[in-house]
Amino acid sequence: MTSEEVAKINELEPEIIDLTILSSDSSASEDGGDDDDPTNGTTSLYENTSDTSEVEIQLNQDTRLQLKNVINTISAVRLRQLLIDLVDTEQAVEIALTRELITLNRETHKIVPRWETCQNCGEDYDTNTERELDECEYHPGELEVDEDGFADHDEDVHGPMDTEENRAAFPENFIWTCCDATGNGQGCVQGDHQPSTGSRKRRRL
């Protein structure tokens, strides 16, 4: 048989197609499935599949920064409720918050809050650590306006002199009755932190 005859026989043999290489996606395409589903059955990480579904977010530096911003601005009521809900549902959160917020009293061995607010200076302090001697500094008196410091202030025009905003912005224009120090003067009384009893906090300076 000549080479020309072999070539003619090869041209007449039918082409063999391996159907096993066709995937189910290919079959769906042939059935027209792709026309109805442009995503080929996949859902983007950030895509809502329904009006009520939540969007999944990948954690990174941007999300961490935004989360911290939200924590700083969200209402205290909502933040507390969120923590309570997480304590009820997430054991890891419960463990972490217990370590940070709860401790064992060294004397009574009772479970107590770890953090207290001093009724004298208004500072939060850790009851689980050894305290320093005379670390609390405060004024036992009242903070009054020094009108000479507001020489150009007309209350009919500018509003009251004695406001929280003015105390923070112009402490030098206020006087402590206990020692005649200005509002930003160092506390004239020193002692140990005392747990708050619900009375008005003294300002620590």
Side-chain angles (χ1 to χ4, degrees), residues 36-161:
D36 297 331
D37 185 8
T39 62
N40 290 328
T42 62
T43 302
S44 170
L45 183 64
Y46 299 98
E47 180 183 358
N48 275 324
T49 56
S50 70
D51 292 340
T52 59
S53 63
E54 295 185 2
V55 178
E56 295 184 32
I57 300 177
Q58 292 180 333
L59 300 181
N60 52 43
Q61 291 292 342
D62 291 337
T63 60
R64 184 176 295 110
L65 177 61
Q66 188 60 246
L67 178 59
K68 291 179 179 180
N69 290 337
V70 171
I71 291 174
N72 286 328
T73 56
I74 194 173
S75 70
V77 173
R78 182 174 295 276
L79 185 59
R80 288 192 180 98
Q81 186 58 54
L82 174 61
L83 289 176
I84 291 173
D85 293 342
L86 289 175
V87 167
D88 289 338
T89 58
E90 302 291 340
Q91 189 178 47
V93 175
E94 180 182 7
I95 293 173
L97 291 179
T98 298
R99 289 174 177 171
E100 292 295 326
L101 303 178
I102 302 297
T103 189
L104 201 64
N105 185 286
R106 296 175 183 272
E107 297 179 356
T108 64
H109 300 288
K110 292 183 179 180
I111 298 176
V112 296
R114 177 177 174 179
W115 295 91
E116 287 279 4
T117 301
C118 178
Q119 67 174 354
N120 292 324
C121 67
E123 179 180 319
D124 291 337
Y125 64 97
D126 187 353
T127 63
N128 195 41
T129 61
E130 294 291 341
R131 310 310 312 174
E132 297 180 4
L133 183 65
D134 293 338
E135 64 180 334
C136 177
E137 297 180 352
Y138 67 100
H139 291 281
E142 300 294 332
L143 197 59
E144 295 184 345
V145 175
D146 179 8
E147 295 187 2
D148 292 338
F150 290 97
D152 298 327
H153 188 99
D154 185 344
E155 289 194 324
D156 293 334
V157 177
H158 305 104
M161 297 180 190

